[in-house]
Amino acid sequence: MEKILSVEKINTYYGKSHILFDVSLDIYKNEVLCLLGRNGAGKTTTFKSIVMLNPPASGKVIFNGKCLNEFKPYQIFRLGIGLVPEDRRIFGPLTVKENLMLGARVGRKGIWNLDMVYKYFPILKEYESKPGGMLSGGEQQMLTIARTLMGNPEVLLLDEPSEGLSPVMVNTLKEIVLGLKEAGATIVLSEQHVKFAMAVSDRVSIIDKGHIVYEASIEEFKKDLEIQKKYLAV
């Protein structure tokens, strides 16, 4: 397996509050890694630290051999890491197509363009002239993922993608993630929806109170009911 992204003992603060404690993760090409944890465990902060929206005070983030600590978030996006934020950040007055085109990066090679996005997200093709703010929560989640894919990232960070979605939309999202995986995407997702994580992931890391407390393959994790109960209240 080819390692593409490494988080090496990062410590991140909000003001004087210490949030992440020596957090380390390894992400390999063409895999889905799930960062599991309860609300407030540090999942979103980990993602923000990777893309330097909230830079770590110590430790390193290495992507394709480059240390990202001195890069700006927009530079990291251009290098090939795409973040799908938890709050979606759709431009409400703009159409679906306009939202998608905002994510496109001219000159970056890759499989993702409007035709490919519409193949994976046919509802967006149907609504391409509709204002993004008029979509349902699930449709906005699809639009946010698709907009990020338009930049042809090498690594896709999905922050709490299933949060607030109906069971039907969660199942649709599962099929989308599995489809992206089959297309060769490298995905890191943060979740507290354990069944969803089990359905799409290759490996699992659990974060609790800012510490990585468990790492395993998805097969091992499925069998470890004690860990699930202890850290995820399953």
Side-chain angles (χ1 to χ4, degrees):
M1 296 175 69
E2 180 184 347
K3 190 186 297 185
I4 189 170
L5 178 65
S6 293
V7 178
E8 301 179 357
K9 293 187 175 181
I10 62 171
N11 288 270
T12 301
Y13 294 76
Y14 287 142
K16 294 183 179 180
S17 299
H18 197 166
I19 306 300
L20 301 182
F21 300 82
D22 288 334
V23 166
S24 295
L25 297 168
D26 288 324
I27 295 92
Y28 297 90
K29 201 167 184 178
N30 306 134
E31 76 162 350
V32 178
L33 171 68
C34 185
L35 183 63
L36 280 168
R38 298 186 180 101
N39 270 335
K43 302 187 299 298
T44 294
T45 304
T46 299
F47 278 15
K48 287 184 175 180
S49 295
I50 290 173
V51 298
M52 300 299 148
L53 285 169
N54 194 348
S58 64
K60 295 180 180 179
V61 179
I62 308 293
F63 175 61
N64 280 333
K66 290 183 179 180
C67 180
L68 301 183
N69 292 53
E70 300 303 319
F71 284 76
K72 301 295 184 184
Y74 74 89
Q75 294 172 317
I76 292 171
F77 169 73
R78 288 177 179 174
L79 284 174
I81 299 180
L83 171 64
V84 178
E86 179 183 6
D87 54 3
R88 297 168 187 155
R89 305 210 177 182
I90 293 299
F91 293 92
L94 299 184
T95 67
V96 166
K97 185 176 180 179
E98 288 170 336
N99 269 278
L100 290 172
M101 294 310 299
L102 284 174
R105 187 182 162 210
V106 177
R108 183 171 178 82
K109 295 180 180 179
I111 66 171
W112 295 102
N113 52 36
L114 272 179
D115 289 340
M116 191 69 166
V117 160
Y118 288 154
K119 175 183 175 182
Y120 276 80
F121 304 88
I123 192 71
L124 299 183
K125 172 65 175 175
E126 183 180 342
Y127 291 158
E128 69 175 354
S129 299
K130 191 174 183 178
M134 294 184 67
L135 301 183
S136 69
E139 291 161 353
Q140 287 191 5
Q141 186 64 275
M142 292 183 197
L143 177 55
T144 311
I145 295 171
R147 183 179 62 189
T148 306
L149 289 171
M150 286 288 289
N152 279 290
E154 289 186 59
V155 175
L156 185 65
L157 307 178
L158 294 175
D159 192 10
E160 300 276 10
S162 70
E163 185 175 15
L165 299 186
S166 68
V168 172
M169 287 306 304
V170 169
N171 190 59
T172 300
L173 182 63
K174 179 188 77 172
E175 296 305 319
I176 288 169
V177 173
L178 290 174
L180 296 176
K181 179 178 174 181
E182 188 176 337
T186 301
I187 299 172
V188 188
L189 61 94
S190 75
E191 267 296 337
Q192 50 186 319
H193 193 306
V194 178
K195 289 184 179 180
F196 177 71
M198 286 181 177
V200 301
S201 304
D202 298 301
R203 291 190 300 121
V204 165
S205 292
I206 295 177
I207 188 168
D208 185 61
K209 298 176 182 176
H211 299 263
I212 297 294
V213 294
Y214 177 85
E215 294 178 292
S217 69
I218 195 65
E219 290 79 13
E220 293 173 293
F221 174 68
K222 286 177 179 178
K223 298 174 185 176
D224 205 332
L225 302 183
E226 184 177 340
I227 285 290
Q228 295 178 35
K229 183 177 181 180
K230 181 177 181 180
Y231 293 111
L232 303 166
V234 174

